[in-house]
Amino acid sequence: MRRFSLSSLLSESLNGHRGWGRQWRDPQPKPAYDVVIVGGGGHGLATAYYLATVHGITNVAVLEKGWIGGGNTGRNTTIIRSNYLYDESAALYEHALKLWEGLSQELNYNVMFSQRGVLMLAHNLHDVQSFKRHVYANRLNGIDNEWLTKEECKAFCPPIDISGSLRYPVLGGALQRRAGTARHDAVAWGYARGADARGVDIIQNCEVKGIRRDASGAAIGVETTRGYIGAKRIGVVAAGHTSTVMAMADVRMPLESYPLQALVSEPVKPVFPCVVMSNAVHAYISQSDKGELVIGAGTDQYTSYSQQGGLHITTHTLDAICEVFPQFTRMRMLRSWGGIVDVTPDRSPIIGKTPVENLFVNCGWGTGGFKATPGSGHVFAHTLAKGEPHPINAPFTLDRFRTGRLIDEAAAAAVAH
């Protein structure tokens, strides 16, 4: 891997940028690996990267049925924050946020991480009480979060309408200043480039069709569209398709898969300085570096594997955005898209072992998977390498749905599931 630096950029500018080469290889799959990761999204690539860099395990394959960045990684709204309520979630997302803060330097790749702040608006007494509870809980965990009056919200984000004429008037908000956004494609490409440079095989257009098990029931490899690949350990990181992959090993997952839609406007000059989220009006918005207003909706009402979603969901979201930000009624929408998210009953992820020996799973991130990418990959790599969970992901077991030790983060997910 050729490192990016000022000198390399200057030399290539004089060479017409003809000497860069491929960002990662396109290898043929080997007959077997120490670890096979099913899913080439951000979490899967991050897992492979940390297996190689932290644990020295480089005989790893990442299998992606499509292309790198073609799934949820390239279809999200890029929001990063760690202001979750419960101790277990706060530890996981704060671990990720700390890794985000040095990720561009770590990967030698600009992931365009921008700590512009995330402001969560309160529109009624319940919102006020709930967000203040989040603020106090976060402070106890050493996580920055502060309560703003509606006037302070307006000062921080001028486009907000704080007049009393709204159906859902703004009463205040909770602000995490260290939160922000990153470039989703760059995150996938940076991790892919870093993992490949350390010997990891990234195999695209390789769909897993089955999980092979031995006489004892342990997983020993995967059947793919490019042949059988043996593995000492298998990590499934397949987002919305986790249930279908795990069913190949006769493991039933407590997941439901929903389309999650987003859309962007025509590009304009900088008008929106931060990320704003609202539970009550069910929408969130930021502005990309290209000038587009990036708008996120909630999950569709029905389970589906469609990446199209229902039109009424996006129109409802735009109604909400136009109410809080009246000046945006003049904006034209440019395009919309959908991803497939896997939602658990308690809206928290599952990271760890499964009942099948040698088979591990990382799933259930729902609407908030992108923000956890570095932390998720880091702790899951530890779990795959050691065969035991990292202390941070130890509470996020599949077994918690049997024992009842749930981590109910439906409110902190900031969308009305």
Side-chain angles (χ1 to χ4, degrees), residues 25-139:
R25 297 169 294 122
D26 185 22
Q28 293 296 318
K30 300 176 186 176
Y33 294 88
D34 291 335
V35 179
V36 164
I37 297 170
V38 181
H43 289 231
L45 293 167
T47 301
Y49 175 82
Y50 292 118
L51 278 171
T53 57
V54 177
H55 303 283
I57 301 174
T58 57
N59 188 24
V60 177
V62 179
L63 309 183
E64 170 55 45
K65 72 174 182 178
W67 66 94
I68 296 302
N72 284 358
T73 298
R75 293 173 173 269
N76 65 82
T77 50
T78 74
I79 297 172
I80 296 164
R81 58 188 177 89
S82 64
N83 54 350
Y84 277 68
L85 178 61
Y86 290 98
D87 294 347
E88 300 90 344
S89 304
L92 179 57
Y93 287 101
E94 180 65 10
H95 180 56
L97 182 51
K98 288 178 178 177
L99 290 172
W100 277 113
E101 291 175 324
L103 191 60
S104 292
Q105 292 75 21
E106 165 79 15
L107 298 178
N108 183 231
Y109 204 92
N110 185 10
V111 300
M112 301 173 71
F113 178 48
S114 170
Q115 291 180 288
R116 60 189 67 182
V118 171
L119 176 62
M120 304 178 74
L121 298 180
H123 301 274
N124 52 51
L125 180 60
H126 172 76
D127 284 349
V128 172
Q129 293 173 337
S130 176
F131 288 150
K132 285 186 176 180
R133 183 188 179 200
H134 279 69
V135 169
Y136 302 145
N138 290 159
R139 288 181 177 178

Side-chain angles (χ1 to χ4, degrees), residues 315-350:
T315 55
H316 171 77
T317 301
L318 290 175
D319 289 342
I321 290 295
C322 290
E323 179 169 344
V324 181
F325 309 100
Q327 65 271 47
F328 293 156
T329 57
R330 293 172 290 172
M331 297 289 291
R332 292 175 294 183
M333 293 299 106
L334 188 64
R335 65 185 183 277
S336 65
W337 64 90
I340 304 168
V341 298
D342 49 344
V343 179
T344 62
D346 64 356
R347 301 320 192 248
S348 292
I350 302 168

Side-chain angles (χ1 to χ4, degrees), residues 139-216:
R139 288 181 177 178
L140 288 172
N141 279 310
I143 297 171
D144 66 306
N145 200 358
E146 60 189 277
W147 175 255
L148 302 185
T149 65
K150 65 179 182 180
E151 291 79 14
E152 290 172 327
C153 290
K154 178 74 172 177
F156 186 75
C157 185
I160 296 175
D161 185 352
I162 61 171
S163 68
S165 61
L166 301 181
R167 181 174 54 163
Y168 295 99
V170 175
L171 303 182
L175 172 64
Q176 184 178 26
R177 296 182 185 271
R178 290 171 54 241
T181 62
R183 171 75 180 183
H184 43 36
D185 293 326
V187 174
W189 299 337
Y191 272 124
R193 179 173 174 268
D196 174 83
R198 290 159 176 84
V200 173
D201 284 354
I202 298 171
I203 305 170
Q204 302 177 80
N205 301 306
C206 183
E207 183 176 359
V208 172
K209 304 299 262 183
I211 296 176
R212 187 181 293 185
R213 301 166 69 179
D214 63 15
S216 69

